[in-house]
Amino acid sequence: MSDATRLAMPALPHAPGDRLEVVSTWNTETPYQSWRPQILVPASFRPAVAPVTYVVVNQKGGAGKTTTTVELAAALAATDLRVRVIDADHQEAALSRWLVPQYPAGEPQRSLRSVFFDECALAEATYPTLFAGVDIVPSGLDLMRVEYERPIGAEQTLAAALARETEQHGGPLYDVTIIDAAPSLGLVTVAGLTAADRALVPLGVGGLDLLGLQSLHRTIRTVQDKTNPKLSVAGVFLTAWDKSGFARQIAERVALDYPEAVVVPVRRSVRAAEAPIAAQPVRLYAPESATGADYAQAAGILLAGEMT
Ligand SMILES: Nc1ncnc2c1ncn2[C@@H]1O[C@H](COP(=O)(O)OP(=O)(O)O)[C@@H](O)[C@H]1O
Ligand SMILES: [Mg+2]
């Protein structure tokens, strides 16, 4: 598929008043009714420099992993970065249904599973989407085979595939790679954590959303100890944010749990909920939505460079 036929990501309409304020500490004294959502960027935070690999993890379904993957990819592609998203969720494969891979006619259709079983290189399982600057490694239900056949070295497969690709190509093929993890802490998720430089944790703002954080913490620490010492948690996204006292309590709690991470309240919008059905990033489907704007702002903070 030629680049000319792909849809470019639009610039966002400029409504400066609608951008979230960026602060380095939250004033937790203000009553929640008058507390506006603010992006927390700790003074110690350093933006990533491309090439960088992110993994979007939370073992809870519906936390906003796939939305976070798609919107960050769209925001980064809008600034002419080359972005690859990797669907690592066999249970839903929602990413592959949202950003539909454009398979060339008459060739075998590869997927992330093919990479885990050494059937092809990562680049051979990477396909264009309809959106300029965003390519995808798709997945389907058969990725589940990795969990029960446990091919030797599976934990290292993605990290090794990325390293091999960079070496063979004489440099990275993509500026940013974003791995959309499954709602589990299984082998494929550990492979994603092992391959990534930085983890991003989306979190719904409900009581049950907090309960899983301890086991996610433990898994990240184990990966840091055993397979990927460079891994850090760069961001927490409070997805489908609403203005409630409880949302704010959760925000304060995650800021304590992840003192090194940017914390981004992502505002809820109906248009964001509709975008997967329309098979378009929110940024394209509804450029005016606060959800797309919040992700674009976050992308600009996470990565060094100019964002629009
Ligand atoms: N900011 C938002 N506003 C409205 N709906 C959202 C928002 N973020 C996510 N959603 C919706 O919440 C649901 C779960 O999000 P999703 O990204 O699929 O989570 P996960 O990948 O963690 O399972 C989806 O229906 C999605 O459209
Ligand atoms: Mg998902």
Side-chain angles (χ1 to χ4, degrees):
M1 148 165 245
S2 83
D3 271 0
T5 57
R6 301 172 85 182
L7 297 167
M9 283 302 134
L12 295 181
H14 256 304
D18 202 37
R19 295 225 127 186
L20 296 182
E21 190 186 353
V22 178
V23 294
S24 59
T25 49
W26 272 329
N27 177 358
T28 53
E29 303 302 312
T30 47
Y32 83 85
Q33 294 89 339
S34 58
W35 195 60
R36 294 166 55 81
Q38 296 166 319
I39 298 181
L40 180 67
V41 182
S44 58
F45 177 79
R46 293 288 166 272
V49 177
V52 59
T53 300
Y54 288 105
V55 62
V56 184
V57 276
N58 185 332
Q59 76 279 23
K60 189 169 181 306
K65 292 180 287 299
T66 302
T67 306
T68 299
T69 303
V70 169
E71 288 327 304
L72 289 180
L76 296 165
T79 65
D80 289 335
L81 290 169
R82 298 161 301 169
V83 184
R84 166 164 54 194
V85 294
I86 299 181
D87 189 350
D89 180 6
H90 59 83
Q91 298 184 34
E92 302 277 347
L95 184 65
S96 303
R97 285 186 281 138
W98 190 343
L99 302 181
V100 184
Q102 306 296 301
Y103 298 108
E107 286 179 29
Q109 297 184 355
R110 315 240 196 225
S111 69
L112 186 59
R113 185 203 60 80
S114 328
V115 178
F116 272 98
F117 286 96
D118 284 332
E119 292 165 13
C120 69
L122 194 58
E124 296 168 301
T126 303
Y127 296 94
T129 66
L130 288 176
F131 311 106
V134 183
D135 291 351
I136 185 169
V137 178
S139 280
L141 255 186
D142 60 357
L143 182 64
M144 197 162 41
R145 276 183 47 205
V146 177
E147 302 293 338
Y148 58 82
E149 292 186 22
R150 309 186 77 80
I152 291 172
E155 281 170 9
Q156 298 288 349
T157 294
L158 256 180
L162 282 165
R164 199 174 309 127
E165 179 179 279
T166 301
E167 191 185 299
Q168 284 173 353
H169 183 253
L173 275 181
Y174 293 88
D175 300 306
V176 182
T177 296
I178 310 176
I179 303 165
D180 179 22
S184 86
L185 297 173
L187 191 48
V188 176
T189 300
V190 171
L193 286 163
T194 302
D197 304 298
R198 297 185 170 207
L200 303 173
V201 179
L203 185 69
V205 284
L208 286 175
D209 297 292
L210 279 181
L211 295 180
L213 275 184
Q214 282 311 322
S215 44
L216 179 60
H217 250 330
R218 266 198 306 279
T219 303
I220 289 176
R221 266 203 305 273
T222 307
V223 167
Q224 286 166 332
D225 280 351
K226 297 196 169 160
T227 59
N228 186 8
K230 73 175 182 305
L231 182 69
S232 64
V233 177
V236 179
F237 290 83
L238 303 166
T239 57
W241 171 268
D242 57 13
K243 191 171 173 175
S244 66
F246 191 58
R248 186 170 132 179
Q249 275 175 29
I250 290 194
E252 287 172 17
R253 164 78 189 272
V254 298
L256 290 175
D257 280 354
Y258 296 98
E260 74 284 24
V262 172
V263 186
V264 185
V266 179
R267 286 168 287 176
R268 183 192 292 276
S269 75
V270 175
R271 306 290 272 163
E274 291 169 355
I277 306 300
Q280 291 190 354
V282 180
R283 187 182 178 106
L284 185 65
Y285 179 68
E288 74 292 348
S289 106
T291 308
D294 293 346
Y295 277 113
Q297 210 180 337
I301 293 167
L302 289 173
L303 210 76
E306 271 301 301
M307 291 289 144
T308 52

